[in-house]
Structure formats: structure tokens, C-alpha cells
Amino acid sequence: MLNVLCIAGTRPNFIKVSALYHAFTQHPRFSPTLVHTGQHYDAQMSRVFFEQLGLPEPDLYLGVGSGTHGAQTAAIMQALEAHLIERPPDVVVVVGDVNSTVAATLAAVKLHLPVAHVEAGLRSFDRRMPEEINRLITDAISDVLYVSEESGLTNLKREGIADDRVVFVGNVMIDSLLRFQEHACGLDTAQAMFGLAPRSYLLVTLHRPSNVDVSERLLEIADVLETIQARIPVVFPVHPRTRQRLESQGLYKRLDALPRLHLAPPIGYLEFLSLMHDARGMLTDSGGTQEETTFLGVPCLTLRENTERPVTVTQGTNTLLALDKARILHHVDDIITSEPASATPPPLWDGQSAVRIADDLARRYTAQP
Ligand code: UD1
Ligand code: UDP
């Protein structure tokens, strides 16, 4: 049996690892185990995903919590290293681009354990993003790189990574979406939680430090949201980082008082899928959400100057926008007045990505596939 150790620490990790864990448990030659680093720990950022996505209790909880990049990365490395020395797995699987991803990769590679990176090759070409540094390091030192969209193949080739380390498998985030879509859509969350009909509201999420950690920018964003809610109701589940920033600038109360702006705590995965599916459009800076709206055919305005997921712009529903109020309002008005085009999923976003990964790992790391 192949002992595969899956690493997860943050909200998007749980969604991706759930697809992988499910495929590994279905495979006759795999014995998966799960480490939760504790990077995200609030019930609505962690436990709800385990419950809703059918993930088991982690085999190990590192409980590192929040901290500076250095402190958090080091704490994960130190705690995970001890476990890897005591119980070395056959292969370590990391996903995405968060601090838990790079920390686990560094700890495992230095112990000469094989590492597979899922969602490899994405590049924003913006090194001010902490995630870009995490992606570059993780890809450079991992053994196998599983790519979610074709831009990843081009980027890894340009960086001189050998072809036999790279496999285009599609998108595990969409595996989970497809697995839970039917259940989620029956929930009618917009109506149940906010009294809103399908297609009558804009869904908002924001948590990038470049948007929410810069006071003047956050103030401008609050102003834009205030204007938008006068045109269309807004549902905004607020990430803990963003909530802290809004509160410390006295903006949370101001926004919460607006009649058509529905602020909420972070929302469970199934309810969030339901909200996304029924939204007229999305305003976001989230990576996963750019992909999910592309798959669902929901128009998405991304408040960023770049994206590491270009297929969501070239083939999907995504539009990148600088923080320019007039332009944002113009696009919001477009979404309000026009019918969305039908969705065409990017290649291999078909619900089978985790199975492809399991098959490839079996080929590489077991005597018989
Ligand atoms: C992290 C990832 C980011 C990802 C995001 C997904 C890094 C560098 N960043 O950003 O790439 O898009 O997760 O949501 O890995 N906090 C809580 N409760 C929690 C978790 C966090 O209150 O359960 C607060 C803490 O004050 C913490 C802050 O949120 O300092 C930021 O958390 P952190 O995990 O450092 O970064 P995220 O912004 O969540
Ligand atoms: N999500 C959720 N509840 C929320 C906000 C997001 O379940 O309130 C889900 C959603 O599917 C999204 C995923 O969490 O794609 C990733 O979260 P986030 O935007 O925090 O991370 P990123 O993808 O930007 O790293």
C-alpha cells in the first residue's frame, strides 16, 4: 500500500484535499493520511469544511495558528518535520500556494521524501504576492507537478522544469464543486439566509492583503460597495483578515448599516456554492472563486491587476479590474442588465482530476499501478 500524506491548512486547501482524499480512499493501492497544520482554525474557516466535505478527523493537528510569514512557516516546518521523521510516508501531497504548502514541501524535501504539488505552475508574475513566492519555491523543489490549466505547462517549461515531472490533470477544485453541486443547489441559501431571489444579488469576497491591508484602498473599496448596493443587493461573507481590517478602520459598522449590503461571517462550503450558483455576478479577489465562477458561467469581476489563472479570463467569465470606481460600476451595470453567456469549462475541468493524480502517483510510486 502507498502511504500518501495529504497536507491541508487553509479553507481552499480543505476543498482541494477533499477531492484527493476521496480519490485515494477509492484506490485499492492507497492508504491516505491527513495532516491539518492549523493555519486556519475558526470553526467557519476549518471544521465546517471537514463536516461538509466528508473529510475525516486529521491524523495529526499541528495547531500552528496565525503569525507572521516567518513564524507561521517555521512552526509548520518544525512540527511536521518531527512527524515525518517518526512516521515517514511514501509520498507527501501538497496543494495550492499557501504558507502550509511551502512549509510542508520544505520539511519533506529536506528529509528526501517525494513531494507531489497539486495546482502547480500557476504564476501571477507578481512577487509582492506571498502566494507567488510560495508557488515558485514549491514547484522548484517538488518531485511531481500536477497542473490545473495549460498556462501552468508553459510556465514550468519556461522555468526549465523537466517534462517528466509535469502532468496536466485538470482542476481538483472543480472535482469538489461537481461532487457537491447538486446538494448545494437545493439549499437556496440566498433566500434562506438573506431573503434574496436567484440572480437578484452580487456576491462579494475580498481577503488579499493588497486590497484589505492598505487603509486607503480598503476605504475606497467600502465606498464602491456602498454605491453598488444602491443598484443591486450585495451579499458579502467577510474573511477574518478583512473583518479585522474593516473593524479597525471603523468601516464594518458603516457597511453593516447599509440596507442592501448583507455582511455575514465566513460561510460553509455548501452554502457558498449555492450562493455562487445563484448569484447575478461576483466581485472578488479569491483564486478559487475565479475558477468556480468560470465553471458555473457566473460573471466575475476580480479586483486585482493580475491573475495566476489566465484561463478564467481567456475562456471563462472573469474580468480583471483595477480599483477604479467608474470602471467597476460600469461592469456591475453590465452584469445587472445583460444575460450571462453559457459556460464552457476549460480543458480537463471535468471532475476526474483527483483520479488522474491517484493513477499517476500509483504508476510512479508503486510496483504495479
Ligand atoms: C491565507 C493564504 C492565502 C489564501 C487564504 C484563503 C498565505 C500566505 N495566505 O490567507 O493565500 O488565499 O488563506 O482564505 O498562506 N484568522 C482568523 N481565523 C482563522 C484564520 C485566520 O481569525 O481561522 C485571521 C488571523 O488574524 C490571521 C489572519 O486572519 O492573522 C490571516 O490569516 P492567514 O492564514 O495568515 O492568511 P489569510 O489571509 O487567511
Ligand atoms: N468559500 C467558502 N465560504 C466563504 C468564502 C469562500 O466556502 O465564505 C470557498 C469558496 O469555494 C472559495 C474557497 O472557499 O473558492 C477558497 O477560499 P478563499 O477565497 O479564501 O481562498 P483562495 O482561493 O483565494 O486562496
Side-chain angles (χ1 to χ4, degrees):
M1 295 294 271
L2 190 72
N3 184 354
V4 195
L5 180 65
C6 303
I7 310 291
T10 63
R11 172 163 80 179
N13 288 173
F14 306 137
I15 303 169
K16 292 163 199 171
V17 162
S18 134
L20 292 162
Y21 199 89
H22 181 66
F24 295 157
T25 51
Q26 305 287 304
H27 198 289
R29 302 188 61 79
F30 280 67
S31 165
T33 48
L34 177 61
V35 168
H36 183 336
T37 66
Q39 181 173 345
H40 285 174
Y41 44 84
D42 288 347
Q44 282 302 104
M45 297 295 287
S46 173
R47 170 149 296 285
V48 69
F49 291 89
F50 280 73
E51 287 167 2
Q52 295 192 342
L53 292 158
L55 275 170
E57 284 292 315
D59 297 278
L60 179 67
Y61 182 69
L62 304 180
V64 300
S66 305
T68 62
H69 287 279
Q72 191 174 58
T73 308
I76 298 168
M77 283 182 69
Q78 200 169 11
L80 185 65
E81 183 180 58
H83 175 73
L84 294 175
I85 290 170
E86 203 178 305
R87 298 178 135 202
D90 297 316
V91 55
V92 176
V93 174
V94 298
V95 298
D97 54 16
V98 301
N99 285 348
S100 298
T101 315
V102 72
T105 306
L106 280 164
V109 166
K110 290 199 168 190
L111 292 169
H112 308 154
L113 294 167
V115 175
H117 181 209
V118 176
E119 203 183 87
L122 298 181
R123 297 289 181 269
S124 65
F125 304 101
D126 175 1
R127 291 197 180 192
R128 292 164 310 167
M129 277 185 91
E131 294 82 0
E132 185 75 352
I133 307 302
N134 294 344
R135 293 179 200 117
L136 285 161
I137 296 171
T138 303
D139 285 343
I141 63 177
S142 292
D143 296 84
V144 195
L145 303 175
Y146 294 117
V147 170
S148 57
E149 64 163 82
E150 282 157 321
S151 70
L153 297 175
T154 318
N155 294 334
L156 293 172
K157 199 174 242 331
R158 190 187 318 101
E159 288 168 23
I161 300 206
D163 287 348
D164 63 354
R165 284 172 58 202
V166 180
V167 190
F168 179 35
V169 292
N171 193 331
V172 292
M173 197 77 175
I174 303 303
D175 286 11
S176 287
L177 188 157
L178 279 165
R179 194 161 148 234
F180 292 100
Q181 186 174 21
E182 202 179 316
H183 181 171
C185 291
L187 296 176
D188 202 3
T189 302
Q191 189 68 50
M193 287 184 71
F194 307 105
L196 293 168
R199 310 267 162 253
S200 72
Y201 61 92
L202 192 77
L203 181 61
V204 174
T205 73
L206 295 164
H207 71 277
R208 293 276 154 234
S210 56
N211 278 329
V212 305
D213 287 4
V214 183
S215 306
E216 313 80 65
R217 211 171 152 89
L218 192 58
L219 189 61
E220 266 184 78
I221 290 173
D223 178 50
V224 170
L225 291 177
E226 185 163 356
T227 310
I228 292 176
Q229 61 86 45
R231 302 179 183 204
I232 181 168
V234 171
V235 173
F236 182 7
V238 185
H239 187 287
R241 171 192 287 278
T242 310
R243 179 159 187 151
Q244 277 175 14
R245 299 292 168 177
L246 286 170
E247 280 177 348
S248 71
Q249 281 182 242
L251 291 171
Y252 192 88
K253 273 197 180 147
R254 187 181 123 194
L255 292 180
D256 207 21
L258 295 169
R260 305 213 304 170
L261 177 51
H262 303 269
L263 297 184
I267 282 187
Y269 180 64
L270 296 176
E271 292 82 6
F272 192 79
L273 270 191
S274 163
L275 282 174
M276 229 177 345
H277 179 270
D278 287 344
R280 182 100 206 163
M282 178 102 208
L283 177 68
T284 194
D285 56 16
S286 149
T289 297
Q290 292 172 59
E291 297 178 336
E292 291 161 330
T293 47
T294 275
F295 187 83
L296 294 168
V298 173
C300 180
L301 306 177
T302 297
L303 215 47
R304 281 178 51 186
E305 282 160 18
N306 50 56
T307 180
E308 60 288 332
R309 293 159 160 92
V311 77
T312 61
V313 176
T314 54
Q315 288 184 44
T317 55
N318 194 12
T319 305
L320 299 181
L321 287 177
L323 186 46
D324 170 338
K325 185 173 177 181
R327 268 199 85 207
I328 296 171
L329 292 175
H330 171 77
H331 282 275
V332 169
D333 285 341
D334 241 23
I335 288 175
I336 295 172
T337 52
S338 52
E339 281 307 309
S342 61
T344 338
L348 300 190
W349 291 21
D350 59 359
Q352 296 303 309
S353 303
V355 171
R356 286 186 200 102
I357 291 169
D359 288 344
D360 186 74
L361 285 173
R363 253 193 311 277
R364 286 173 194 268
Y365 296 111
T366 65
Q368 302 161 260

